[in-house]
């Protein structure tokens, strides 16, 4: 009925209407009827001596402070109100408020207090710090992580295209954001001299980057050189300065540059603390640099605080990459080809590192592999002039992670035995078809190629560790352990095959670790060195109970030498060493109880195992 009345209501011409088509802002705020009689102001604004304007109401509402500005409080004739009124008179579309002006004045005051040389005490107000759980000012705390999650999850992805001529030299793209360069002044003072910086970069790319792809070497070197050749007060790219600092921090973890420690004794912490001050600004908008920063931060923290803390930042890197669409094939088609390839490499580095750590922690995957459509990294002359094998190692590591994920998923639930055998065969085929350059263990690429083989053997340990524990339970739980094992071999031959592969891979890992130690390539701040040695030693000790053998004693003794060397240079690994020593004591006790004195003497050489 109401609709019928509206349809039949006679139309009124605009000139005869009593109310305006759209109410002005003061009338809307007062909830008054807006009537225009003549001129450029409505009747209410003219009667109340107000400025009549439109479309200045903010979506989040008007505060009482804004009401005073809009309605012209005659009692507030302060200079600030006069400035606001004059500004809004000439720029009515901006709608400047008292809060805005006060904030601008605060920023101007803060910037005016910074000296050209900068100071290490000039920290941005409200900037979070990373605090170690023990109370010392270091690394991560909940407030900083909450801020990182907030800015990553809520930021937009408005990306500006770069000139194609700049891609080969810089290989970075920027975001529409105006950075405050004031935090860079004290940070740049923490930079090493240029010769030390070049040495740190050499160490990072020869040792620190390993089988991943974090940065393009030529681009990093060129832009670091620019920092030293520009004027001290010249504005620098905040994101790149952060990448350079975290690169210096990672390189400082290796023996040749371990003098770059502060009073806490943690290598590279001087650079890391400077980097952490810039990280909130780097994460303010998603970008390639923010992904690289999270990945490098995770790499720095991994040998210090383990996988849980490191995974937080790798997970953030994956979220940023997904928000930018780097996992999709057609997202970066407008980018120049070199930049497109760098994006693919960085994404796959984030993916394989996230799966490597999340799998050990039992975390679900961030994104299903079926949703990843970006191309596989490939060789490119413009990017790989220095080391063509770097990208080959990345591709091999990616294929290994995907194969191991597939095999482990088949291992978890009921599946066709033929499918599982086929997947295991593909894993073995990966090793047989590995490029000869990636199997060489010469001095130049020993660590990178050795780690690639270690990761392969860790896959077999992950596959067979369940069978190892079952065999341990059968052996220790029954009085006739040998008979139980023999029966298990007949009833479940595939499990026994995986058990044998698991133990064999553990021995090979210990041989690789010993080779690194003999060549003085074993690193105290390498998670792969310590974690692989720890896991392999555990497997050998457990297997020595089921299958006592002389070779277990020699391998365990070598492993303890390596673990004690790492723990002596990295106190954060001490708990892992204590765990192995405790397991070793228990293994010796079990062997002594289960074996005859003659057999125990033959196995251990007359002393305790590993002593």
């Amino acid at each position: 009925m109401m609709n019928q009345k509206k349809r039949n209501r006679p139309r009124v011409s605009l000139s005869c209407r009593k109310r305006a088509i759209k109410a002005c802002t003061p009338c809307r705020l007062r909830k008054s009827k807006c009537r225009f009689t003549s001129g450029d102001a409505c009747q209410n604004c003219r009667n109340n001596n107000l400025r009549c304007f439109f479309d200045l109401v903010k979506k989040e509402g008007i505060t009482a402070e804004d009401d005073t500005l809009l309605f012209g409080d005659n009692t507030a004739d302060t200079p600030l109100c006069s400035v606001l009124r004059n500004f809004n008179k000439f720029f009515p579309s901006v709608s400047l408020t008292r809060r805005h002006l006060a904030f601008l004045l605060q920023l101007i005051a803060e910037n005016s207090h910074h000296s050209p040389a900068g100071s290490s005490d000039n920290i941005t107000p409200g900037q979070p710090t990373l605090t170690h759980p023990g109370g010392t000012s270091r690394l991560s705390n909940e407030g900083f992580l909450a801020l990182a999650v907030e800015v990553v999850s809520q930021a937009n992805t408005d990306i500006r295209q770069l000139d194609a001529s700049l891609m080969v030299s810089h290989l970075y793209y920027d975001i529409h954001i105006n950075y405050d360069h004031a935090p860079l002044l004290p940070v740049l003072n923490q930079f090493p001299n240029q010769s030390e910086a070049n040495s740190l970069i050499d160490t990072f790319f020869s040792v620190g980057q390993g089988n991943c792809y974090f940065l393009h070497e030529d681009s990093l070197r060129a832009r670091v050189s620019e920092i030293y050749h520009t004027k001290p007060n010249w504005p620098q790219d905040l994101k790149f300065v952060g990448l350079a600092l975290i690169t210096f921090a990672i390189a400082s973890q290796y023996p040749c540059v371990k003098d770059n420690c502060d009073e806490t004794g943690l290598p590279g912490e001087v650079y890391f603390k400077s980097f952490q001050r810039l990280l909130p600004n780097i994460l303010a908008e998603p970008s390639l640099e923010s992904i690289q920063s999270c990945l490098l931060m995770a790499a720095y923290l991994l040998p210090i605080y383990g996988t849980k803390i490191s995974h937080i930042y790798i997970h953030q890197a994956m979220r940023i990459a997904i928000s930018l669409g780097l996992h999709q094939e057609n997202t970066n088609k407008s980018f120049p080809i070199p930049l497109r390839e760098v994006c693919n490499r960085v994404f796959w580095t984030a993916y394989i590192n996230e799966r490597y750590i999340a799998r050990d922690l039992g975390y679900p995957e961030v994104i299903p592999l079926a949703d990843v459509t970006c191309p596989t990294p490939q060789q490119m002359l413009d990017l790989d002039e220095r080391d063509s094998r770097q990208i080959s190692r990345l591709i091999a590591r990616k294929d290994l992670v995907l194969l191991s994920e597939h095999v482990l998923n088949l291992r978890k639930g009921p599946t066709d035995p033929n499918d599982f055998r086929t997947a295991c065969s593909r894993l073995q085929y990966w090793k047989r078809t590995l490029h000869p350059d990636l199997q060489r263990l010469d001095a130049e690429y020993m660590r990178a190629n050795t780690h690639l083989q270690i990761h392969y053997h860790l896959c077999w340990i992950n596959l067979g560790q369940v069978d190892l524990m079952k065999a341990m339970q059968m052996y220790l739980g029954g009085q006739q352990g040998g008979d139980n094992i023999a029966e298990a071999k007949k009833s479940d031959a595939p499990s026994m095959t995986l058990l044998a592969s698991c133990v064999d891979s553990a021995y090979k890992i210990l041989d690789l670790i010993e080779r690194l130690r003999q060549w003085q390539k074993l690193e105290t701040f390498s998670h792969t060195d310590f974690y692989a040695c720890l896991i392999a030693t555990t497997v050998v000790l457990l297997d020595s109970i089921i299958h006592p053998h002389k070779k277990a004693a020699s391998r365990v003794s070598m492993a303890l030498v390596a673990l004690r060397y790492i723990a002596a240079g990295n106190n954060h690994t001490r708990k892992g060493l204590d765990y192995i020593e405790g397991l070793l004591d228990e293994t010796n006790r079990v062997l002594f109880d289960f074996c005859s004195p003659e057999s125990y003497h033959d196995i251990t050489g007359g002393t305790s195992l590993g002593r």
Side-chain angles (χ1 to χ4, degrees):
M1 191 68 181
M2 184 65 67
N3 293 338
Q4 186 68 23
K5 289 183 178 180
K6 287 183 179 179
R7 282 196 297 269
N8 296 334
R9 188 173 56 191
R11 294 183 177 273
V12 179
S13 62
L14 295 178
S15 59
C16 299
R17 293 190 64 165
K18 295 182 179 180
R19 286 186 294 177
I21 300 176
K22 182 178 181 180
C24 65
T25 298
C27 288
R28 288 166 57 191
L29 292 173
R30 294 188 172 195
K31 300 186 183 300
S32 302
K33 294 180 180 180
C34 186
R35 294 186 175 89
F36 273 86
T37 55
S38 61
D40 56 354
C42 71
Q43 193 174 32
N44 292 331
C45 291
R46 186 179 293 106
N47 294 338
N48 295 313
N49 196 23
L50 296 176
R51 183 169 61 90
C52 189
F53 58 96
F54 294 85
D55 299 330
L56 294 181
V57 179
K58 298 186 287 293
K59 291 183 179 180
E60 62 269 22
I62 300 299
T63 63
E65 198 172 66
D66 297 328
D67 290 342
T68 304
L69 173 63
L70 292 174
F71 299 143
D73 186 0
N74 295 328
T75 63
D77 267 337
T78 63
L80 179 62
C81 292
S82 177
V83 171
L84 289 174
R85 282 196 297 268
N86 291 332
F87 183 89
N88 287 324
K89 178 179 179 181
F90 290 98
F91 302 97
S93 61
V94 176
S95 186
L96 189 70
T97 65
R98 291 180 180 179
R99 292 198 314 275
H100 298 155
L101 186 56
F103 182 71
L104 289 173
L105 293 174
Q106 181 183 359
L107 290 180
I108 294 172
E110 291 173 359
N111 289 334
S112 65
H113 292 159
H114 287 291
S115 61
S119 171
S120 60
D121 298 330
N122 294 334
I123 302 178
T124 305
Q127 177 182 348
T129 58
L130 302 178
T131 306
H132 181 259
T136 59
S137 179
R138 187 186 300 175
L139 307 181
S140 56
N141 73 358
E142 295 179 359
F144 177 81
L145 299 181
L147 174 63
V149 172
E150 180 181 352
V151 297
V152 169
S153 60
Q154 295 183 1
N156 296 321
T157 59
D158 182 18
I159 304 175
R160 175 169 58 90
Q161 303 295 326
L162 285 186
D163 186 2
S165 61
L166 300 177
M167 288 303 103
V168 175
S169 59
H170 289 160
L171 294 173
Y172 297 98
Y173 59 88
D174 296 324
I175 303 298
H176 279 307
I177 180 169
N178 293 323
Y179 288 111
D180 178 13
H181 293 284
L184 286 178
L185 296 177
V187 166
L188 289 174
N189 288 336
Q190 300 297 332
F191 261 56
N193 60 54
Q194 189 169 3
S195 62
E196 291 178 354
N198 292 333
S199 176
L200 289 169
I201 294 174
D202 291 339
T203 302
F204 175 81
F205 285 103
S206 62
V207 184
Q209 186 159 242
N211 297 312
C212 300
Y213 188 94
F214 298 112
L215 298 164
H216 182 241
E217 184 173 357
D218 290 338
S219 300
L220 182 69
R221 291 182 183 276
R223 298 192 69 181
V224 167
S225 178
E226 289 178 7
I227 292 178
Y228 290 99
H229 288 87
T230 53
K231 297 179 180 179
N233 60 348
W234 194 266
Q236 300 289 345
D237 181 4
L238 181 145
K239 293 180 290 184
F240 176 76
V241 171
L243 286 176
L245 286 167
I246 192 61
T247 301
F248 297 157
I250 293 175
S252 299
Q253 293 179 329
Y254 297 97
C256 56
V257 286
K258 267 188 182 174
D259 293 336
N260 292 285
C261 306
D262 67 353
E263 65 275 5
T264 65
L266 189 62
E269 191 168 10
V270 172
Y271 305 129
F272 179 80
K273 286 181 177 179
S274 299
F275 166 76
Q276 93 177 32
R277 297 175 62 184
L278 302 181
L279 188 59
N281 299 68
I282 297 173
L283 297 181
E285 297 263 353
S287 65
L288 178 62
E289 289 87 345
S290 59
I291 301 173
Q292 294 167 318
S293 297
C294 288
L295 290 175
L296 291 169
M297 187 173 190
Y300 178 82
L301 297 178
L302 185 58
I304 302 174
Y305 288 101
T307 54
K308 289 187 177 180
I309 295 296
S310 180
H311 182 264
I312 293 173
Y313 298 99
I314 295 179
H315 187 269
Q316 293 307 316
M318 280 296 296
R319 291 188 61 182
I320 299 171
I322 294 170
S323 71
L324 291 174
L326 298 189
H327 64 293
Q328 297 175 344
E329 182 177 7
N330 297 325
T331 301
N332 304 324
K333 279 196 171 181
S334 59
F335 294 165
I337 294 178
L339 177 58
R340 201 184 313 166
E341 177 61 24
V342 169
C343 291
N344 289 338
R345 296 180 182 186
V346 172
F347 171 80
W348 281 113
T349 296
Y351 182 87
I352 61 180
N353 285 349
E354 195 277 333
R355 292 314 307 147
Y356 171 71
I357 294 179
R359 184 175 59 199
D360 291 335
L361 296 174
Y363 294 165
E365 55 187 359
V366 178
I367 180 173
L369 182 60
D371 294 340
V372 178
T373 60
C374 68
T376 296
Q378 57 185 350
Q379 295 279 356
M380 183 171 291
L381 182 61
D382 292 340
L383 299 178
D384 304 316
E385 292 181 358
R386 287 181 175 268
D387 182 10
S388 60
R389 284 175 282 193
Q390 177 67 38
I391 184 60
S392 298
R393 288 192 292 268
L394 175 63
I395 296 172
R397 178 83 190 281
K398 177 193 79 74
D399 294 339
L400 178 61
V401 168
L402 297 184
L403 281 173
S404 61
E405 284 283 305
H406 178 60
V407 176
L408 287 172
N409 289 335
L410 292 176
R411 180 79 169 127
K412 290 179 182 177
T415 184
D416 187 352
N418 292 328
D419 292 341
F420 183 72
R421 282 194 295 268
T422 301
C424 291
S425 299
R426 291 176 60 190
L427 196 57
Q428 295 170 340
Y429 181 77
W430 177 92
K431 179 67 166 60
R432 291 195 303 269
T433 58
L434 195 62
H435 195 280
D437 288 343
L438 304 186
Q439 299 187 41
R440 293 170 50 190
L441 298 181
D442 52 9
E444 185 178 2
Y445 299 104
M446 172 177 283
R447 280 190 55 82
N449 290 348
T450 299
H451 281 186
L452 200 58
Q453 296 190 28
I454 285 176
H455 288 305
Y456 168 77
H457 293 301
L458 284 174
C459 293
W460 289 108
I461 291 180
N462 291 333
L463 282 171
Q465 59 188 359
V466 174
D467 302 294
L468 176 62
M469 297 309 299
K470 288 181 179 179
M472 280 291 302
Q473 292 173 354
M474 294 175 62
Y475 182 80
L476 299 178
Q479 295 180 352
Q480 302 295 329
D483 296 337
N484 292 338
I485 294 293
E487 293 176 2
K489 289 182 179 179
K490 296 178 182 179
S491 61
D492 194 1
S495 295
M496 292 299 103
T497 302
L498 288 178
L499 172 58
S501 299
C502 172
V503 175
D504 182 63
S505 292
Y507 278 102
K508 289 180 178 178
I509 287 177
L510 293 183
D511 290 340
L512 291 170
I513 293 295
E514 176 63 14
R515 186 181 180 89
L516 288 176
R517 190 185 69 83
Q518 291 178 352
W519 281 74
Q520 298 182 352
K521 298 291 185 178
L522 194 66
E523 301 294 349
T524 56
F525 281 86
S526 170
H527 176 264
T528 300
D529 290 355
F530 181 78
Y531 175 76
C533 190
L534 190 72
I535 295 298
T537 306
T538 301
V539 172
V540 170
L541 285 174
L542 295 178
D543 181 70
S544 67
I545 297 175
I546 306 174
H547 306 105
H549 199 279
K550 286 184 178 181
K551 68 176 182 179
S554 61
R555 296 304 196 283
V556 171
S557 298
M558 292 189 303
L560 284 173
V561 172
L563 290 173
R564 286 165 182 161
Y565 168 79
I566 295 175
N570 183 359
N571 293 329
H572 304 279
T573 61
R574 183 68 209 183
K575 288 185 178 180
L577 178 60
D578 293 342
Y579 159 78
I580 283 294
E581 291 179 337
L583 180 62
L584 178 62
D585 293 338
E586 190 66 17
T587 301
N588 280 309
R589 183 190 65 79
V590 173
L591 283 174
F592 185 81
D593 292 342
F594 277 74
C595 298
S596 63
E598 294 79 9
S599 299
Y600 183 78
H601 183 276
D602 292 339
I603 296 168
T604 63
T607 61
S608 297
L609 187 68
R611 301 305 185 189

